[in-house]
Amino acid sequence: MSAETLRSALFWVFATLSLSLAWSVVGNRRLLRAAVALMGVLGCSAAFYALLGFGFLAGIQILVYVGGIVVLLVFLVMLTRTQALLEDEPTPWRHKVGVVAAVGFFVVNLWALASLPDAAVQGPVLGGDTRAIGRALLDAGPQGYVLPFEAVSVLLLAALVGGIAVARKVDVAALPPAEANHG
Amino acid sequence: MAELLHAGGSGLHAWLLVTSALFSLGIYGLLTRRNAVGILLSLELCLNAAAVQFAVFNALRAPGRVDGAVMALFVVAVAAAEVVVGMALFVLLYSQRRTVDVTELTGDGRDSAGGPP
Amino acid sequence: MSYAASAIVQHAWVIPALPLLSFLAVGLLVRPFSTRWAGGVAAASVALSAALSWWLAFDYLQFASPPGPLPTLLPWQTEWLRFQEGLRIDAGTLLDPASVLLVVVVTTVSALVHLYSLAYMDGEAGYGRYFAILNLFTFSMLGLVLAPNLVQMFVCWELVGASSFFLIGFWFDRPAAVAASKKAFVVTRFADLGFLVAILLLGHAAFDVRQQLGAAAGDLQALDFAFLGRSDVLAALASQAPVLGGMTALTLGCLLLFMGGAGKSAMFPLHIWLPDAMEGPTPVSALIHAATMVVAGVYLVARALPLFAAADGALTVVLLVGTFTALFAAAIACTQDDLKRVLAFSTLSQLGYMMLALGTCDGGDPTGHSAALFHLFTHAFFKALLFLGAGAVLHAAHTGDVWHLGGLRKPMPLTHALFLLATLAIAGIWPLSGFFSKDEILAAALHGGHPLVFTVGLGVAGLTAFYMARVYLLTFWGQPRREATAHAHEAPLTMVLPMGALAVLAAVAGFVPVSRWVALPGAAVHTGIDWAVAVPTTVVALVGFAAAGWLYAGDLGRSEAAAARLGRLYRALRHKFWIDEVYLWVTRKLIFRLVAAPIAWFDRMVVDGSMHGVGVLTRLAGAGVQAAQTGQAQAYAAWALTGVALVVGLLWAAARAG
C-alpha cells in the first residue's frame, strides 16, 4: 500500500465521517449533541489539513477551533437552554425550504466547479508549512499578509471588548444615582 | 482498489465534493434551526468548509505557496470573533427574553411573551 | 422754532417701535425665564411709549403756527411694496391732530392697563403670554393710528384683530372664552372682507384718477390718505361712471369701508361679538374692547371723512346705523345682569354716538367730526375706568352678576368713589368730561339739521344715565346678596393707582380743547356751553338717575313689577332682540345646510375620494409585497442564498458563453 493509496483511503474515511457528523450537527434535535458532532467535524477537518500537508493548520484547528471555539459553543448551549427549545425539530415547511436551498446551492456550486481541471496532492505530506506560514503572515512585502494579520488582530480585540460590553449585565435601577448618569 | 482510490480519490473534484456538501449541510442547518445557537453551529460548519476549501486549492493548485493556508488561519480567527460576539448577544438575549428562539424575535419585542418585566 | 427741531416729531416711529421690541423681547426672551420680569418689561416699555407720546403731543402743539389749523406731517416714511410706477405702498407715521390725539389716548390707557394688570393678572398661568400680546396689541393699534395710507391701516387693523382674538381667548381652557374669541374673530374678519374689497375698489378707482392727473399727482400714491383727501381727486372720483347698482366706485368703496369699520366698532348688526368678548380678562376689555380697538372703526370713518362726504349717501348710512346702534344697545344695557356685559352694551351705545356724530357731517358741515373725536377721547378714559372698576369688583367678589353683588361701597370705598365718578362722567353730569363731548355730539345733530336724531340721542342719554345708575346702585348699595360679596376687600395699590389716574383724566378731559384742535376746515368751534343742549341732556340724565334710584335703591320688588309691566318688550331686551339666535339660524340653517354641506360633500366624496383612491392602491401594492417581510432572519437568509445561487449560476453561464 503506497502513501498515495493510504492518503486516499484516509481521505474517504474522514470524508464519510465528516459528512455523517455534519448531518448530525444540522439534524440532531438535541443541540448539545449537535455541538459535540461539530467538534467531530472540526476534528475531521484537522485531518484534512494534515492530508493536504498543512500540519501547522491541523494543529491550530485542534487547538483553537476544537479546543476553544467549540467549547465556547457548548457553554453557550448550556447557558441558553430552555424547555421549549429542548427539541429543535424543523417544521415540514422549513425543512423543505432548507433542503431546496441546500441542494440548490450544492448543485450550482458543483456545476460551477466541475469545469476546473482535476489535480492531485503533490509534494511532502506533513510538516514544513509552519515556517512558511509564519513568514507569509509577517511579510510586509507585496506577497505578504502583515496588513490582514494586523486587521484580524484588531478584529479579535474589538470582538473581545464588544462581547464584554454587550453581555455585561447593566441594571440601571440597581446603580447608585451618580453612577447611573455615567452608565 | 488502490488505483481507484488514487485516481478518483483524493483528487480536486473529490475534495470539492466534500467541502461543498459540508457547506450545503451548513446552509440547511442555517435555515431550519429555530435555536439561535444551532444557527451559530451551522454557521461554523459553513466557515469550516470554506476554510478547508482554501487549503485544498492551496495544496492542489499552488503547491509551494501558503496563501490558502493563511486564509484558513484568518477564517479561524474570524470564526473565533464571531462566536465571542454571538455568545455575548445570545446570553443577553436569553437574560432578557428567556428564549433564543429566532422565530419569536419578530416585531419590536414588546408584544412577545417572556419580555423584560 | 419748527418741527424739524423736535426730536420726537421727527422720530415718532419710536412710539410704536417700543411696544413691538418689547413684544419680541418679552415673547421670545424674557417669558421663558421669568414671568415676573415679563410683566415689568412690558409695562415699562409702554409707559416709556406713553411718556414719549405726551412729549410728542406737547411738541406738536407747541411748534404749530398759532393762527392756522394744525398741520399734517409725514416725518418718516419708507417704501414698503412697489408694484409699478404710481402704485407704491409705504409705511410711515402720519401726524395730524387726530392721530396725535389717538396716540396719546392709546399709549396712556395702555400704560395704565399694563400697570393695573400687573396686580390683576398676578398668579395667572399665562402671565408672560398676556403681557406679550398686550404689547403686540399696543404696537398694532399705534401702527393703525399713524398709518398714512389704507394698506398700512388694514395690516395693523388685522393685527389688532388677531391680538383681540388671542386676548379674548386668553383662558383657552374655558369653552365660553374659546367660543367668544372665535366669534369675535369670525365676525370682525367677515367685516374686514368689506374693508379689503373697499381698498381694492378705491385703489383701482384712485389709480385711474392718478393716471389722469399725471404730474399734478406728485409723489402721492393712490391709497395715501393725503391723495384721497384732495378736492380734485374727490371730484374726479365722484364723477366716475357707476360700477354696480348705480353706485360709483367711491360710494361702494365707502359703504364697504364702513362695513369694515362697523365690524370693528361693533355697529348693528355686526355688534354681536362685543358682549361675548367680555370673556377675556377685564383689563383687556378696558383697553381693547372699550377704549382703543373698538374705536378704530370710528377713527377709520373720521380719517376717510372726505371720501364719505364726497360719496353719495354714505354718511347717511353711517348716521342711521350709528343712531340705531346707540338706542338699541342702550336699551339692552338696561336689562343685562352681568356688570361687564352692561358696560359692553354701553360701549356699543357710545360708539353709536360717535358714528352718529360722524354721520351728521352729511350736510357738509364737519362739526360732527370734531365732536366724534372729542367723545372718542373722553370715552376712552371714563369707559376704561368703568371697566377697571368692574375688574376690581370682580377681583374682590369673584362674580360679575349684579344680583349677587351689593353693598360694596363699605369694603371698597376707593373703587366705589372712582366708579361713581365714571358713572357721572358717562351720564354727562357737569363738569365731568362726558358732559362736554356728549353735548357737542348732540349739538352737532341739532344744528346739523337732524332734529329726530337729536331726540333719539337725548333719549339715549337718559337711558345711559338709567342703566349706569342701575348697575352702580346694585353693585355698591344695599346689602351683599351673596356670601363671597360680603368678604370683598379693597383692590391693591397697583390697581387703584391706574384707576385714580384715569379718574383724573375722565374728570378733566372735557376741558381739553380737543374739538378745536381736530376741527376740519369749516367746522364750527364751540367755546361755551350750548344751553339749548346742556339743559335737556342734564334733565334727562337726572330723570334717568331718579328712575334708577326709585327702582333699584330701595325695594327691589318695584323693579320686578316694572319688568312684568313691560312684558314683551322686557323679554326682547333681555334676550338682546334674539339677534344671536337669528345669526345662528342664518348660519346653521341657511349657510351650513345650503352652501357648506354640498361643498363638504364634494370635498369628501370627490376631492378626498380621489386621494383615498391613490392611498388604497398604494396600500394594496404594499400588502402584495408584505408577505416577504416576515421579520424572520432565516427567511431573509434563504432569499439571500437564492440570490447568491442565481448570481453564481449567471457568472458561470457567462463564463461558459464568453
Side-chain angles (χ1 to χ4, degrees):
Chain A
M1 213 178 183
S2 71
E4 291 301 312
T5 314
L6 181 63
R7 190 191 295 180
S8 199
L10 284 173
F11 166 75
W12 285 113
V13 169
F14 281 119
T16 314
L17 189 59
S18 178
L19 286 173
S20 49
L21 283 169
W23 177 254
S24 177
V25 169
V26 298
N28 202 307
R29 285 182 295 176
R30 307 297 291 260
L31 211 54
L32 204 57
R33 291 180 196 166
V36 174
L38 180 66
M39 210 183 277
V41 173
L42 298 174
C44 290
S45 293
F48 289 152
Y49 290 138
L51 283 175
L52 289 167
F54 297 116
F56 175 70
L57 264 187
I60 292 295
Q61 177 84 355
I62 298 288
L63 271 176
V64 178
Y65 231 137
V66 182
I69 297 175
V70 176
V71 169
L72 215 55
L73 284 170
V74 170
F75 276 134
L76 188 52
V77 171
M78 291 171 170
L79 278 173
T80 60
R81 217 156 59 117
T82 47
Q83 205 62 40
L85 265 181
L86 214 52
E87 303 267 311
D88 193 353
E89 178 92 43
T91 58
W93 169 245
R94 290 167 77 83
H95 177 73
K96 257 177 238 157
V97 170
V99 167
V100 167
V103 171
F105 184 86
F106 185 68
V107 169
V108 169
N109 207 20
L110 281 193
W111 198 10
L113 294 172
S115 58
L116 290 172
D118 204 354
V121 180
Q122 294 157 357
V125 176
L126 280 179
D129 64 326
T130 311
R131 179 183 299 269
I133 288 175
R135 282 196 182 283
L137 277 180
L138 295 179
D139 184 5
Q143 305 283 321
Y145 288 91
V146 72
L147 189 63
F149 179 72
E150 291 300 331
V152 166
S153 68
V154 172
L155 172 75
L156 281 172
L157 183 64
L160 193 70
V161 175
I164 294 167
V166 171
R168 191 169 63 118
K169 196 169 186 147
V170 181
D171 193 353
V172 179
L175 289 174
E179 222 177 309
N181 288 337
H182 301 298
Chain B
M1 179 72 187
E3 281 70 27
L4 178 75
L5 280 176
H6 181 69
S10 56
L12 181 62
H13 287 167
W15 283 103
L16 293 184
L17 190 76
V18 173
T19 51
S20 294
L22 279 174
F23 199 96
S24 299
L25 279 169
I27 286 175
Y28 172 78
L30 195 66
L31 295 184
T32 53
R33 283 287 187 198
R34 279 193 298 137
N35 193 322
V37 182
I39 293 173
L40 208 56
L41 295 182
S42 308
L43 213 55
E44 293 300 327
L45 213 52
C46 290
L47 280 170
N48 184 61
V52 173
Q53 183 93 300
F54 270 120
V56 167
F57 276 117
N58 187 174
L60 270 66
R61 303 289 289 186
R65 297 189 55 83
V66 289
D67 304 282
V70 168
M71 279 301 157
L73 211 53
F74 286 155
V75 169
V76 173
V78 169
E82 176 226 325
V83 167
V84 168
V85 176
M87 181 174 179
L89 283 175
F90 294 151
V91 167
L92 187 68
L93 188 69
Y94 181 75
S95 70
Q96 297 233 333
R97 299 218 187 175
R98 294 284 133 196
T99 185
V100 284
D101 187 342
V102 290
T103 60
E104 287 178 15
L105 295 181
T106 55
D108 58 4
R110 270 176 292 211
D111 52 347
S112 78
Chain C
M1 291 292 272
S2 72
Y3 285 115
S6 168
I8 188 63
V9 168
Q10 292 307 312
H11 299 284
W13 57 269
V14 174
I15 293 171
L18 274 172
L20 176 64
L21 283 178
S22 166
F23 159 66
L24 294 173
V26 170
L28 296 174
L29 304 174
V30 181
R31 190 169 67 89
F33 300 109
S34 161
T35 52
R36 185 152 218 87
W37 276 93
V41 169
S45 73
V46 177
L48 187 57
S49 212
L52 290 176
S53 60
W54 282 90
W55 180 20
L56 172 72
F58 180 74
D59 269 13
Y60 180 75
L61 293 172
Q62 183 196 359
F63 292 138
S65 41
L70 289 164
T72 299
L73 306 170
L74 195 50
W76 177 77
Q77 186 167 21
T78 182
E79 182 180 307
W80 179 29
L81 298 167
R82 174 187 283 277
F83 297 100
Q84 65 180 78
E85 194 52 46
L87 189 55
R88 190 185 75 214
I89 291 164
D90 295 326
T93 54
L94 178 74
L95 296 181
D96 72 348
S99 69
V100 173
L101 179 78
L102 262 288
V103 164
V104 170
V105 170
V106 169
T107 53
T108 306
V109 178
S110 181
L112 293 173
V113 164
H114 270 80
L115 181 58
Y116 180 91
S117 301
L118 286 177
Y120 188 85
M121 300 302 288
D122 195 23
E124 289 287 345
Y127 194 72
R129 170 167 56 95
Y130 171 85
F131 278 100
I133 297 175
L134 218 51
N135 269 335
L136 174 65
F137 168 77
T138 309
F139 156 72
S140 319
M141 191 68 206
L142 290 169
L144 189 160
V145 163
L146 292 167
N149 56 52
L150 275 171
V151 177
Q152 183 184 334
M153 194 180 221
F154 181 73
V155 170
C156 293
W157 185 278
E158 293 297 336
L159 274 175
V160 290
S163 326
S164 163
F165 168 76
F166 291 137
L167 287 169
I168 296 171
F170 175 74
W171 286 302
F172 53 74
D173 48 353
R174 298 183 188 169
V178 173
S181 66
K182 276 196 287 195
K183 188 174 179 181
F185 193 77
V186 170
V187 172
T188 54
R189 199 64 200 79
F190 174 70
D192 293 348
L193 185 66
F195 193 170
L196 188 59
V197 175
I199 289 178
L200 297 175
L201 209 56
L202 287 172
H204 186 261
F207 184 72
D208 283 349
V209 172
R210 195 178 178 284
Q211 298 298 89
Q212 287 163 19
L213 286 175
D219 192 40
L220 289 176
Q221 302 302 313
L223 284 169
D224 284 355
F225 289 120
F227 182 75
L228 292 173
R230 276 166 51 156
S231 52
D232 54 343
V233 174
L234 290 170
L237 278 174
S239 61
Q240 277 180 335
V243 289
L244 187 74
M247 288 187 284
T248 58
L250 176 65
T251 309
L252 200 55
C254 282
L255 288 177
L256 288 167
L257 269 188
F258 180 62
M259 180 181 163
K264 198 64 96 189
S265 286
M267 292 290 108
F268 178 86
L270 297 170
H271 66 279
I272 52 161
W273 66 271
L274 188 57
D276 285 20
M278 298 302 129
E279 292 292 340
T282 308
V284 168
S285 306
L287 175 62
I288 299 184
H289 305 120
T292 56
M293 186 190 83
V294 288
V295 302
V298 177
Y299 182 74
L300 171 66
V301 177
R303 173 67 74 210
L305 195 66
L307 283 172
F308 277 82
D312 203 19
L315 277 177
T316 311
V317 174
V318 174
L319 178 69
L320 289 177
V321 171
T323 311
F324 181 74
T325 308
L327 180 64
F328 169 83
I332 293 176
C334 296
T335 61
Q336 297 301 305
D337 293 336
D338 189 83
L339 189 52
K340 283 179 73 183
R341 250 165 221 270
V342 173
L343 294 179
F345 278 104
S346 160
T347 305
L348 285 177
S349 170
Q350 301 297 312
L351 290 168
Y353 259 133
M354 296 176 210
M355 283 294 184
L356 176 162
L358 289 168
T360 60
C361 301
D362 62 351
D365 174 18
T367 313
H369 169 262
S370 328
L373 287 174
F374 188 24
H375 196 56
L376 190 162
F377 178 68
T378 58
H379 173 256
F381 298 126
F382 59 68
K383 186 50 68 63
L385 176 55
L386 282 172
F387 267 108
L388 294 189
V393 168
L394 240 69
H395 199 64
H398 303 292
T399 176
D401 190 332
V402 287
W403 298 106
H404 292 160
L405 297 166
L408 282 175
R409 73 182 188 286
K410 279 183 199 124
M412 308 177 73
L414 287 172
T415 306
H416 165 244
L418 297 169
F419 198 91
L420 175 60
L421 185 132
T423 303
L424 294 175
I426 191 174
I429 301 300
W430 188 89
L432 302 171
S433 57
F435 171 79
F436 298 95
S437 56
K438 191 178 288 181
D439 280 12
E440 242 181 75
I441 290 177
L442 292 175
L446 185 63
H447 302 307
H450 301 286
L452 190 63
V453 172
F454 171 75
T455 316
V456 173
L458 206 59
V460 172
L463 285 174
T464 307
F466 174 77
Y467 67 69
M468 283 317 301
R470 172 177 172 264
V471 291
Y472 163 73
L473 289 171
L474 286 176
T475 304
F476 291 100
W477 291 79
Q479 295 302 315
R481 283 179 288 271
R482 229 166 81 160
E483 190 67 13
T485 313
H487 299 303
H489 52 85
E490 186 56 272
L493 197 61
T494 43
M495 282 164 67
V496 175
L497 269 182
M499 285 160 65
L502 280 173
V504 171
L505 289 166
V508 305
F511 296 102
V512 180
V514 168
S515 48
R516 186 158 58 77
W517 290 335
V518 300
L520 292 174
V525 175
H526 301 289
T527 43
I529 293 172
D530 188 340
W531 295 104
V533 176
V535 172
T537 53
T538 310
V539 169
V540 295
L542 292 175
V543 168
F545 278 150
W550 185 71
L551 285 174
Y552 297 103
D555 178 13
L556 290 176
R558 278 194 289 237
S559 68
E560 281 162 28
R565 209 165 319 136
L566 281 170
R568 242 190 221 155
L569 178 63
Y570 179 79
R571 273 208 308 283
L573 287 171
R574 231 182 125 68
H575 291 102
K576 304 165 228 166
F577 291 102
W578 291 283
I579 301 286
D580 279 309
E581 284 76 9
V582 170
Y583 266 98
L584 275 183
W585 186 80
V586 168
T587 50
R588 291 245 170 92
K589 292 280 156 65
L590 298 185
I591 298 179
F592 283 5
R593 199 169 284 176
L594 298 181
V595 181
I599 293 175
W601 180 88
F602 181 83
D603 190 51
R604 258 199 314 277
M605 304 311 282
V606 180
V607 179
D608 287 6
S610 57
M611 290 299 115
H612 283 158
V614 173
V616 166
L617 270 178
T618 315
R619 211 174 321 144
L620 284 177
V625 294
Q626 194 185 18
Q629 297 288 328
T630 56
Q632 298 279 348
Q634 284 167 312
Y636 302 150
W639 287 111
L641 279 169
T642 311
V644 169
L646 278 175
V647 169
V648 169
L650 276 175
L651 283 176
W652 175 77
R656 283 286 295 266

